[in-house]
């Protein structure tokens, strides 16, 4: 079962996000559910579920979670983030296992490590330091 969590600098239209998920995971669009995290009843069982939550400020104001049932195995998290970045022109931030400070930034044109402001991170805001 696949489960990914991304931070985005802006949220694409929910309908477009659902269509993108169907294409990325190669599933029938009718099997994709998109809704706001914690406020959405979830609807009928979905092959792919996409939930989103607005965050309190920072450079990355949205969290998007994507999950799939046991039939969904590809693509991986970074490839999915790259597909979203290219399709919507968004910046996607992924955690690394190395430290709280260094994160993986994926855009339509690049994939690199960036530092986030640890003081802002303590307040649950994701702000790049420029380092």
């Amino acid at each position: 079962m696949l489960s990914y969590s991304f931070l985005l600098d802006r949220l694409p239209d929910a309908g477009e996000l659902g269509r993108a998920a169907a294409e990325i995971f190669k599933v029938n669009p009718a099997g994709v559910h998109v809704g706001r995290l914690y406020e959405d009843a979830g609807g009928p069982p979905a092959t792919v579920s996409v939930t989103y939550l607005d965050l309190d400020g920072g450079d990355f104001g949205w969290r998007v979670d994507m999950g799939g049932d046991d039939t969904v195995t590809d693509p991986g998290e970074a490839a999915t983030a790259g597909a979203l970045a290219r399709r919507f022109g968004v910046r996607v931030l992924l955690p690394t296992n190395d430290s709280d400070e260094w994160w993986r930034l994926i855009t339509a044109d690049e994939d690199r490590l960036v530092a986030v402001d640890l003081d802002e991170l303590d307040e649950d805001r994701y702000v790049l330091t420029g380092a």
Side-chain angles (χ1 to χ4, degrees):
M1 187 165 181
L2 127 156
S3 178
Y4 303 147
S5 187
F6 310 109
L7 299 173
L8 303 179
D9 62 349
R10 65 181 173 76
L11 184 69
D13 172 78
E16 287 296 316
L17 193 55
R19 284 186 280 286
E23 290 175 16
I24 291 168
F25 295 111
K26 297 177 178 50
V27 300
N28 184 328
V32 176
H33 175 80
V34 179
R36 185 177 288 276
L37 186 65
Y38 305 125
E39 296 178 9
D40 183 27
T47 305
V48 173
S49 174
V50 180
T51 56
Y52 55 89
L53 177 69
D54 54 325
L55 303 174
D56 186 25
D59 295 336
F60 296 84
W62 294 92
R63 178 178 134 193
V64 174
D65 298 326
M66 293 183 157
D69 67 14
D70 292 339
T71 65
V72 181
T73 58
D74 287 320
E77 186 174 41
T80 300
L84 293 174
R86 286 185 298 279
R87 182 172 184 135
F88 297 113
V90 296
R91 295 182 305 158
V92 184
L93 198 61
L94 301 171
T96 65
N97 294 329
D98 299 333
S99 74
D100 289 340
E101 182 179 14
W102 291 96
W103 291 65
R104 187 173 179 181
L105 177 66
I106 298 176
T107 70
D109 301 319
E110 65 182 343
D111 181 345
R112 65 184 171 103
L113 290 179
V114 294
V116 297
D117 184 309
L118 293 177
D119 292 330
E120 292 287 335
L121 187 60
D122 284 342
E123 301 298 322
D124 291 325
R125 290 187 297 267
Y126 300 86
V127 176
L128 302 182
T129 66

